[in-house]
Amino acid sequence: MSTFALGTIIALILGSAAVALCLRRLIRSVLLFVISWAGIAAFYLWAGAEFLAFAQVLVYIGAVSMVTLFAVLLTRRHDQPDLVIEPPARSRAAAGVTIGACVAAVLIPAILATEFPAASATAPTFSVRQLGLDLMEQHGVVLLVVGLILTVALLGAVVLAASKEDAS
Amino acid sequence: MTMLHVCLLFSGLLFCIGLAGALARSHAILVLLGIELMLNAANLNFIAFWRYGPPHASGSGPIFVLFAIAIAAAEAAVGLALVIAIYRHRQSVRLQEEARLKG
Amino acid sequence: MSPAVWFGEVGASLLAMDWTPAIASKLAPTVFPTGQTESAFAERLPLLLRDAVTGSLPEPWRWLANSLIAIVAIIVIFASLFALLTLAERKILGRVQNRPGPNRTGWGGILQPLADGIKMLTKEDIVPAAADRLLHFLAPVVLLALSIVTFAVIPYGRHLVPVELDAAVLYFFAAGAATELAIFMAGWASRNKYSLLAAMRALAQLISYELPLLLAFVPVVMLAGSLATTGIVAAQGGWLGGVLPHWHVLTPPGFAGFVIFMIAALAESNRSPFDLPEAESELIAGHLTEYSGFKYALFFMAEYLGMCALSGMAVTLFLGGWHAPLAALEFIPSYVWFAVKLLALLLGFIWIRATFPRLRIDQLTRLAWKFLVPLALINLLTGGFWVLTTHWTGGMLVVRWAIALVLVVGPFLALGRQFQARYAPRTYRYA
């Protein structure tokens, strides 16, 4: 049952990601990306990290997808297909896929050849309370730095994306 | 082949899909999404090792992923703001047309 | 059964499924956890009824049947509540506006929801020729499924929690945040520029009010020390002298959080005075312009269910969940108390709709970003202060209340005055 669920999740994530990167209609590929992010949240849930699963849904499906869709709509040329496949683009695509396949050809045998120490029999328990204590005590400084980075990044994004009044 | 192998193979494949997509597509937003996918694949590894690694009592894996998600959100916001800024400047978001630094 | 309801059920059952060993340990063997067995007969009545049906089944099937019964019960109860709510809303709005409201169908209009349902079902389902047919179909389905899924973590009674999660509050708001995607899909798939523009407006509103909504409940989580809804309700148990319940709304940070939460909840569920996304008199129907028939009804069902879920969450977080307001009234079953509080909040929603005029879009976003978000952030500070001073007793208790009240009322008055100084007195010109 559990393995079957994992198989479904993996197929969903890989399939939607692969199809999303091949589609020509941008909105659809973004929505397929959303499916694959949801699949990743399901994987976290499956692995027992439920807090992370909900954080993934909140951040990726709630926020990143919205920002992406807004960006797609703001950079859309009027009803023109977003991609015209030209010969240079085609060779570029072929090169990209080749490089991806090469990396896969290195990674997969490497993973298969590695012996890992035996897994723990039971899932590690990690309650939300424990997570909060760890975040606040052990990783308090990191939490502050991450908050700072987020604030600065979002301010920077607003400044970058804000349109000037005099631009036509 | 253990459960850990399965999870690592899966995240490796996801990483390669993201990489191929980021290199092959010319639309800036799709390239950014490909990079997001690679980040997510890395996150999956942390969770896989946390769940199926040798016995331990720490929560470093989930905490690292939590920070990675936060940074990924910041990256997406800045990246897409850059895309919008470039589009406003050049009326195009195709990466091969952005070869010049001089505006 | 309609496909949408089926999808919602599948979504809810997927969540309740035994597919993760870690989650399975938290889902008690029975879906409704049985903690205290000594409680009254009426308290355990729903569980006894369920066990009478599924008691004879072998273990894995019993678990599955229990989950299915929980899902069906939630859907049936809240779908009928939706039907009654539409009738109550039209009747109450009618009374407020000095007219009878619907009174032709059935006895005094009581069959009006049924008539509306039949009308919606038999209407032609029009899909624009240029529309993205798949997304056009998926948008209402996804929206409804996500609104139904949020009901899974609300504790309806002492023993009535469909799914006990460690991070239940986060789950609830994660599912709520994902509904934005469905609204975008609706606007985009219609292939109508007004639909798309209206969807962008709706999204801007939803994203703006997500912030105060999420910030408002953080003090409650700090007070209860738990992200689980059961933990938050348990933290509100007990009475001071048998009269004053320990509800979060009766503490200064909890009260401020409750008010901010309810305002943001109004906006999140597109209710008047924040019903700009589909303001009938201004925008036709916003992102719903190209929807008709049953799909339109599904959107409305999702809106009302979202309102019910947010009210249920407000009851859980601030109003003591299923706890009775007085110790002497504890003999009434807990789920009755939950229902009473939920209905009171829903009637409040309707009353607000009847009373307040609609905001303009700039007033709406300004209210969120310049008023509610700063207040919610200051309220975080108040919550922290309140948590740190729980051990103060005697005379210090007065000091504690005084400081907390100043922290709540001061920023409200200061921000409100600044708001009024800039935008008031308003001159009205009549067209």
Side-chain angles (χ1 to χ4, degrees):
Chain A
M1 188 64 205
S2 170
T3 334
F4 173 73
L6 181 66
T8 319
I9 293 171
I10 289 178
L12 183 79
I13 296 176
L14 291 181
S16 59
V19 175
L21 284 167
C22 301
L23 280 185
R24 298 179 65 171
R25 292 162 79 174
L26 205 48
I27 294 281
R28 284 213 167 173
S29 53
V30 174
L31 290 176
L32 275 170
F33 263 107
V34 170
I35 293 179
S36 91
W37 290 331
I40 288 167
F43 177 83
Y44 291 156
L45 203 61
W46 179 84
E50 53 174 78
F51 186 88
L52 272 187
F54 304 146
Q56 168 93 6
V57 172
L58 203 58
V59 171
Y60 274 94
I61 302 180
V64 174
S65 71
M66 280 299 122
V67 178
T68 315
L69 288 170
F70 268 81
V72 169
L73 290 183
L74 286 174
T75 58
R76 194 166 50 118
R77 268 190 252 169
H78 302 286
D79 273 3
Q80 212 178 345
D82 61 81
L83 186 78
V84 187
I85 307 260
E86 298 155 1
R90 210 170 285 160
S91 67
R92 186 193 149 93
V97 173
T98 316
I99 291 174
C102 290
V103 174
V106 173
L107 275 180
I108 291 171
I111 293 169
L112 287 178
T114 315
E115 284 286 326
F116 291 109
S120 48
T122 54
T125 51
F126 193 51
S127 66
V128 175
R129 169 173 289 274
Q130 189 59 42
L131 182 100
L133 288 177
D134 270 20
L135 269 182
M136 282 297 168
E137 284 164 5
Q138 223 177 324
H139 306 274
V141 181
V142 189
L143 191 67
L144 281 179
V145 172
V146 167
L148 202 65
I149 290 177
L150 263 178
T151 315
V152 172
L154 291 181
L155 283 179
V158 169
V159 171
L160 271 175
S163 60
K164 292 165 191 69
E165 284 300 316
D166 54 345
S168 60
Chain B
M1 204 160 75
T2 59
M3 225 39 177
L4 186 56
H5 279 107
V6 175
C7 292
L8 290 183
L9 277 180
F10 156 52
S11 79
L13 276 178
L14 192 64
F15 183 88
C16 293
I17 291 176
L19 181 67
L23 291 175
R25 295 303 296 261
S26 59
H27 197 290
I29 292 174
L30 275 177
V31 172
L32 262 174
L33 289 181
I35 293 170
E36 285 283 339
L37 210 57
M38 286 149 74
L39 255 171
N40 270 313
N43 286 351
L44 288 180
N45 271 0
F46 280 106
I47 294 300
F49 276 112
W50 171 73
R51 174 70 180 78
Y52 291 111
H56 61 94
S58 86
S60 307
I63 285 183
F64 200 103
V65 174
L66 207 58
F67 287 137
I69 288 177
I71 297 300
E75 177 240 309
V78 175
L80 293 166
L82 277 173
V83 170
I84 292 174
I86 289 174
Y87 175 78
R88 193 169 289 135
H89 200 57
R90 301 250 173 97
Q91 298 300 308
S92 163
V93 282
R94 303 189 59 203
L95 286 177
Q96 61 264 49
E97 291 166 13
E98 312 302 334
R100 287 186 315 141
L101 281 176
K102 205 173 164 192
Chain C
M1 187 184 288
S2 78
V5 176
W6 183 81
F7 267 104
E9 272 190 36
V10 169
S13 61
L14 272 180
L15 276 161
M17 217 164 73
D18 180 18
W19 60 336
T20 119
I23 299 279
S25 63
K26 277 165 202 129
L27 289 172
T30 56
V31 181
F32 296 128
T34 44
Q36 301 118 306
T37 44
E38 75 279 4
S39 54
F41 171 74
E43 191 72 69
R44 286 181 288 120
L45 188 62
L47 294 179
L48 292 176
L49 278 178
R50 187 203 61 190
D51 287 340
V53 177
T54 64
S56 56
L57 292 168
E59 189 35 62
W61 293 108
R62 188 177 172 195
W63 182 83
L64 195 68
N66 284 348
S67 311
L68 277 177
I69 286 181
I71 292 165
V72 170
I74 287 174
I75 288 179
V76 166
I77 288 176
F78 282 96
S80 45
L81 182 64
F82 158 65
L84 286 178
L85 212 55
T86 52
L87 178 68
E89 173 149 29
R90 292 175 69 180
K91 276 289 197 191
I92 293 171
L93 278 183
R95 295 316 299 172
V96 170
Q97 296 159 1
N98 218 354
R99 59 190 170 81
N103 62 353
R104 296 287 135 171
T105 332
W107 304 270
I110 202 147
L111 291 181
Q112 189 64 37
L114 195 68
D116 282 345
I118 292 170
K119 186 189 86 175
M120 283 295 192
L121 269 171
T122 51
K123 264 189 173 178
E124 187 188 357
D125 176 29
I126 302 167
V127 182
D132 193 329
R133 296 190 78 89
L134 178 68
L135 292 184
H136 193 265
F137 166 72
L138 272 181
V141 174
V142 169
L143 190 61
L144 187 62
L146 286 172
S147 348
I148 291 177
V149 153
T150 51
F151 284 104
V153 290
I154 298 175
Y156 301 98
R158 197 185 294 275
H159 307 305
L160 302 180
V161 195
V163 183
E164 267 193 88
L165 284 177
D166 215 10
V169 180
L170 198 67
Y171 162 87
F172 182 90
F173 289 102
T179 55
E180 289 161 13
L181 209 61
I183 290 178
F184 175 84
M185 274 157 69
W188 168 258
S190 298
R191 207 45 76 83
N192 169 342
K193 60 183 117 171
Y194 302 111
S195 287
L196 188 58
L197 281 173
M200 302 315 262
R201 273 168 61 128
L203 287 180
Q205 171 179 336
L206 289 183
I207 291 169
S208 303
Y209 280 89
E210 196 103 316
L211 224 58
L213 190 77
L214 291 176
L215 286 174
F217 76 77
V218 176
V220 166
V221 173
M222 284 157 78
L223 287 175
S226 167
L227 264 178
T229 42
T230 42
I232 289 172
V233 173
Q236 300 179 74
W239 295 268
L240 195 65
V243 187
L244 208 59
H246 291 155
W247 296 355
H248 286 141
V249 74
L250 297 178
T251 61
F255 178 74
F258 177 65
V259 175
I260 297 171
F261 187 92
M262 287 319 284
I263 296 174
L266 272 176
E268 280 289 313
S269 50
N270 290 344
R271 294 285 301 180
S272 177
F274 304 102
D275 58 347
L276 275 163
E278 14 116 17
E280 303 90 340
S281 45
E282 296 173 20
L283 293 169
I284 317 170
H287 56 279
L288 308 180
T289 307
E290 301 290 359
Y291 279 93
S292 62
F294 196 57
K295 286 183 194 159
Y296 191 75
L298 287 186
F299 271 109
F300 262 81
M301 192 162 170
E303 184 188 316
Y304 276 86
L305 288 184
M307 193 169 88
C308 292
L310 274 171
S311 303
M313 202 30 122
V315 169
T316 305
L317 289 174
F318 299 101
L319 298 181
W322 40 260
H323 284 297
L326 299 174
L329 292 174
E330 224 191 345
F331 64 92
I332 299 175
S334 54
Y335 45 87
V336 175
W337 280 120
F338 183 87
V340 167
K341 290 173 191 176
L342 181 70
L343 287 178
L345 282 187
L346 291 175
L347 288 181
F349 272 86
I350 296 175
W351 190 4
I352 287 173
R353 172 168 177 187
T355 312
F356 288 104
R358 188 178 293 141
L359 267 74
R360 230 170 37 215
I361 185 89
D362 62 320
Q363 296 168 333
L364 183 113
T365 37
R366 197 184 292 130
L367 180 69
W369 290 101
K370 292 194 176 170
F371 194 66
L372 292 180
V373 170
L375 273 188
L377 284 173
I378 294 167
N379 198 33
L380 277 189
L381 199 74
T382 322
F385 169 77
W386 197 256
V387 171
L388 286 178
T389 56
T390 34
H391 59 277
W392 288 11
T393 48
M396 292 306 277
L397 214 56
V398 182
V399 179
R400 183 188 183 207
W401 272 86
I403 294 178
L405 282 176
V406 166
L407 276 175
V408 167
V409 178
F412 173 74
L413 287 179
L415 276 172
R417 180 157 302 169
Q418 192 201 0
F419 233 59
Q420 286 202 332
R422 199 172 302 165
Y423 305 108
R426 191 174 292 142
T427 51
Y428 290 97
R429 280 160 303 180
Y430 298 99

mmCIF file of all heavy atoms in Angstrom, chain B residues 7 17 21-22 24-25 32 36 41 46 48 58 63 70 73-74 76 79 93-95 100:
data_model
loop_
_atom_site.group_PDB
_atom_site.id
_atom_site.type_symbol
_atom_site.label_atom_id
_atom_site.label_comp_id
_atom_site.label_asym_id
_atom_site.label_seq_id
_atom_site.Cartn_x
_atom_site.Cartn_y
_atom_site.Cartn_z
ATOM 1 N N CYS B 7 14.293 6.564 -3.415
ATOM 2 C CA CYS B 7 14.073 8.006 -3.243
ATOM 3 C C CYS B 7 15.180 8.805 -3.910
ATOM 4 O O CYS B 7 14.926 9.839 -4.553
ATOM 5 C CB CYS B 7 14.002 8.349 -1.760
ATOM 6 S SG CYS B 7 12.555 7.684 -0.960
ATOM 7 N N ILE B 17 15.626 16.331 -14.982
ATOM 8 C CA ILE B 17 14.540 16.947 -15.760
ATOM 9 C C ILE B 17 14.601 18.462 -15.619
ATOM 10 O O ILE B 17 14.507 19.212 -16.599
ATOM 11 C CB ILE B 17 13.173 16.406 -15.285
ATOM 12 C CG1 ILE B 17 13.020 14.950 -15.678
ATOM 13 C CG2 ILE B 17 12.046 17.218 -15.884
ATOM 14 C CD1 ILE B 17 11.746 14.324 -15.172
ATOM 15 N N GLY B 21 15.408 21.020 -18.656
ATOM 16 C CA GLY B 21 14.440 22.064 -18.951
ATOM 17 C C GLY B 21 15.061 23.444 -18.880
ATOM 18 O O GLY B 21 14.847 24.292 -19.749
ATOM 19 N N ALA B 22 15.868 23.671 -17.831
ATOM 20 C CA ALA B 22 16.477 24.992 -17.670
ATOM 21 C C ALA B 22 17.417 25.302 -18.816
ATOM 22 O O ALA B 22 17.551 26.451 -19.243
ATOM 23 C CB ALA B 22 17.218 25.053 -16.343
ATOM 24 N N ALA B 24 17.253 23.795 -21.941
ATOM 25 C CA ALA B 24 16.669 23.660 -23.274
ATOM 26 C C ALA B 24 15.687 24.776 -23.593
ATOM 27 O O ALA B 24 15.603 25.212 -24.735
ATOM 28 C CB ALA B 24 15.979 22.306 -23.399
ATOM 29 N N ARG B 25 14.933 25.237 -22.623
ATOM 30 C CA ARG B 25 13.902 26.230 -22.926
ATOM 31 C C ARG B 25 14.508 27.617 -22.984
ATOM 32 O O ARG B 25 15.508 27.908 -22.316
ATOM 33 C CB ARG B 25 12.788 26.199 -21.860
ATOM 34 C CG ARG B 25 12.008 24.909 -21.827
ATOM 35 C CD ARG B 25 11.365 24.570 -23.149
ATOM 36 N NE ARG B 25 10.371 25.512 -23.580
ATOM 37 C CZ ARG B 25 9.068 25.332 -23.433
ATOM 38 N NH1 ARG B 25 8.614 24.237 -22.865
ATOM 39 N NH2 ARG B 25 8.212 26.222 -23.875
ATOM 40 N N LEU B 32 13.525 29.666 -14.963
ATOM 41 C CA LEU B 32 13.447 29.841 -13.504
ATOM 42 C C LEU B 32 12.728 28.664 -12.850
ATOM 43 O O LEU B 32 13.151 28.167 -11.802
ATOM 44 C CB LEU B 32 12.681 31.121 -13.192
ATOM 45 C CG LEU B 32 13.523 32.344 -12.903
ATOM 46 C CD1 LEU B 32 12.631 33.542 -12.754
ATOM 47 C CD2 LEU B 32 14.314 32.118 -11.635
ATOM 48 N N GLU B 36 13.865 26.014 -10.003
ATOM 49 C CA GLU B 36 13.077 25.676 -8.807
ATOM 50 C C GLU B 36 12.952 24.166 -8.649
ATOM 51 O O GLU B 36 13.021 23.620 -7.548
ATOM 52 C CB GLU B 36 11.667 26.271 -8.918
ATOM 53 C CG GLU B 36 11.579 27.754 -8.693
ATOM 54 C CD GLU B 36 11.670 28.122 -7.227
ATOM 55 O OE1 GLU B 36 11.408 27.243 -6.391
ATOM 56 O OE2 GLU B 36 12.017 29.265 -6.931
ATOM 57 N N ALA B 41 14.349 19.034 -5.973
ATOM 58 C CA ALA B 41 14.959 17.701 -5.993
ATOM 59 C C ALA B 41 15.986 17.587 -4.884
ATOM 60 O O ALA B 41 16.071 16.556 -4.193
ATOM 61 C CB ALA B 41 15.595 17.455 -7.359
ATOM 62 N N PHE B 46 17.240 15.582 1.199
ATOM 63 C CA PHE B 46 17.341 15.782 2.651
ATOM 64 C C PHE B 46 16.303 14.941 3.370
ATOM 65 O O PHE B 46 16.596 14.296 4.383
ATOM 66 C CB PHE B 46 17.129 17.258 2.991
ATOM 67 C CG PHE B 46 18.342 18.100 2.759
ATOM 68 C CD1 PHE B 46 18.407 18.958 1.679
ATOM 69 C CD2 PHE B 46 19.418 18.020 3.610
ATOM 70 C CE1 PHE B 46 19.520 19.727 1.463
ATOM 71 C CE2 PHE B 46 20.538 18.789 3.400
ATOM 72 C CZ PHE B 46 20.591 19.640 2.318
ATOM 73 N N ALA B 48 14.746 12.277 2.228
ATOM 74 C CA ALA B 48 15.000 10.844 2.057
ATOM 75 C C ALA B 48 16.039 10.371 3.055
ATOM 76 O O ALA B 48 15.871 9.335 3.707
ATOM 77 C CB ALA B 48 15.461 10.569 0.626
ATOM 78 N N SER B 58 17.951 13.674 15.352
ATOM 79 C CA SER B 58 17.931 15.113 15.086
ATOM 80 C C SER B 58 16.937 15.443 13.974
ATOM 81 O O SER B 58 16.533 14.589 13.198
ATOM 82 C CB SER B 58 19.308 15.584 14.678
ATOM 83 O OG SER B 58 19.479 15.404 13.301
ATOM 84 N N ILE B 63 14.594 20.781 8.961
ATOM 85 C CA ILE B 63 14.877 22.203 9.210
ATOM 86 C C ILE B 63 15.631 22.790 8.022
ATOM 87 O O ILE B 63 15.338 23.904 7.580
ATOM 88 C CB ILE B 63 15.648 22.352 10.534
ATOM 89 C CG1 ILE B 63 14.662 22.136 11.677
ATOM 90 C CG2 ILE B 63 16.288 23.708 10.635
ATOM 91 C CD1 ILE B 63 15.228 22.301 13.018
ATOM 92 N N ALA B 70 12.231 28.613 2.177
ATOM 93 C CA ALA B 70 12.178 30.072 2.366
ATOM 94 C C ALA B 70 13.057 30.775 1.341
ATOM 95 O O ALA B 70 12.647 31.763 0.701
ATOM 96 C CB ALA B 70 12.606 30.426 3.784
ATOM 97 N N ALA B 73 11.587 30.711 -2.107
ATOM 98 C CA ALA B 73 10.531 31.706 -2.304
ATOM 99 C C ALA B 73 11.148 33.059 -2.625
ATOM 100 O O ALA B 73 10.703 33.762 -3.547
ATOM 101 C CB ALA B 73 9.666 31.791 -1.048
ATOM 102 N N ALA B 74 12.209 33.428 -1.880
ATOM 103 C CA ALA B 74 12.877 34.705 -2.147
ATOM 104 C C ALA B 74 13.454 34.716 -3.555
ATOM 105 O O ALA B 74 13.331 35.711 -4.298
ATOM 106 C CB ALA B 74 13.979 34.931 -1.123
ATOM 107 N N ALA B 76 12.475 33.006 -6.168
ATOM 108 C CA ALA B 76 11.423 33.110 -7.181
ATOM 109 C C ALA B 76 10.943 34.553 -7.312
ATOM 110 O O ALA B 76 10.773 35.071 -8.427
ATOM 111 C CB ALA B 76 10.262 32.197 -6.825
ATOM 112 N N GLY B 79 13.726 36.634 -8.983
ATOM 113 C CA GLY B 79 13.901 36.204 -10.377
ATOM 114 C C GLY B 79 12.765 36.699 -11.254
ATOM 115 O O GLY B 79 13.002 37.240 -12.352
ATOM 116 N N VAL B 93 11.190 38.190 -23.413
ATOM 117 C CA VAL B 93 11.689 37.406 -22.284
ATOM 118 C C VAL B 93 12.456 36.186 -22.797
ATOM 119 O O VAL B 93 12.683 35.255 -22.050
ATOM 120 C CB VAL B 93 10.549 36.931 -21.362
ATOM 121 C CG1 VAL B 93 10.088 38.055 -20.483
ATOM 122 C CG2 VAL B 93 9.422 36.368 -22.151
ATOM 123 N N ARG B 94 12.871 36.218 -24.073
ATOM 124 C CA ARG B 94 13.604 35.062 -24.587
ATOM 125 C C ARG B 94 15.074 35.265 -24.302
ATOM 126 O O ARG B 94 15.658 36.293 -24.631
ATOM 127 C CB ARG B 94 13.337 34.899 -26.077
ATOM 128 C CG ARG B 94 11.843 34.752 -26.324
ATOM 129 C CD ARG B 94 11.570 34.370 -27.734
ATOM 130 N NE ARG B 94 12.224 33.124 -28.060
ATOM 131 C CZ ARG B 94 12.519 32.786 -29.304
ATOM 132 N NH1 ARG B 94 12.241 33.586 -30.292
ATOM 133 N NH2 ARG B 94 13.093 31.640 -29.550
ATOM 134 N N LEU B 95 15.670 34.243 -23.701
ATOM 135 C CA LEU B 95 17.003 34.449 -23.132
ATOM 136 C C LEU B 95 18.063 34.684 -24.190
ATOM 137 O O LEU B 95 18.995 35.438 -23.966
ATOM 138 C CB LEU B 95 17.376 33.248 -22.266
ATOM 139 C CG LEU B 95 16.638 33.223 -20.937
ATOM 140 C CD1 LEU B 95 17.007 31.990 -20.173
ATOM 141 C CD2 LEU B 95 16.966 34.453 -20.126
ATOM 142 N N ARG B 100 23.261 41.008 -24.637
ATOM 143 C CA ARG B 100 24.037 42.235 -24.442
ATOM 144 C C ARG B 100 23.815 42.767 -23.036
ATOM 145 O O ARG B 100 22.705 42.749 -22.517
ATOM 146 C CB ARG B 100 23.605 43.298 -25.448
ATOM 147 C CG ARG B 100 24.085 43.001 -26.858
ATOM 148 C CD ARG B 100 23.734 44.154 -27.746
ATOM 149 N NE ARG B 100 22.355 44.592 -27.514
ATOM 150 C CZ ARG B 100 21.976 45.853 -27.501
ATOM 151 N NH1 ARG B 100 22.855 46.798 -27.705
ATOM 152 N NH2 ARG B 100 20.723 46.183 -27.298
#
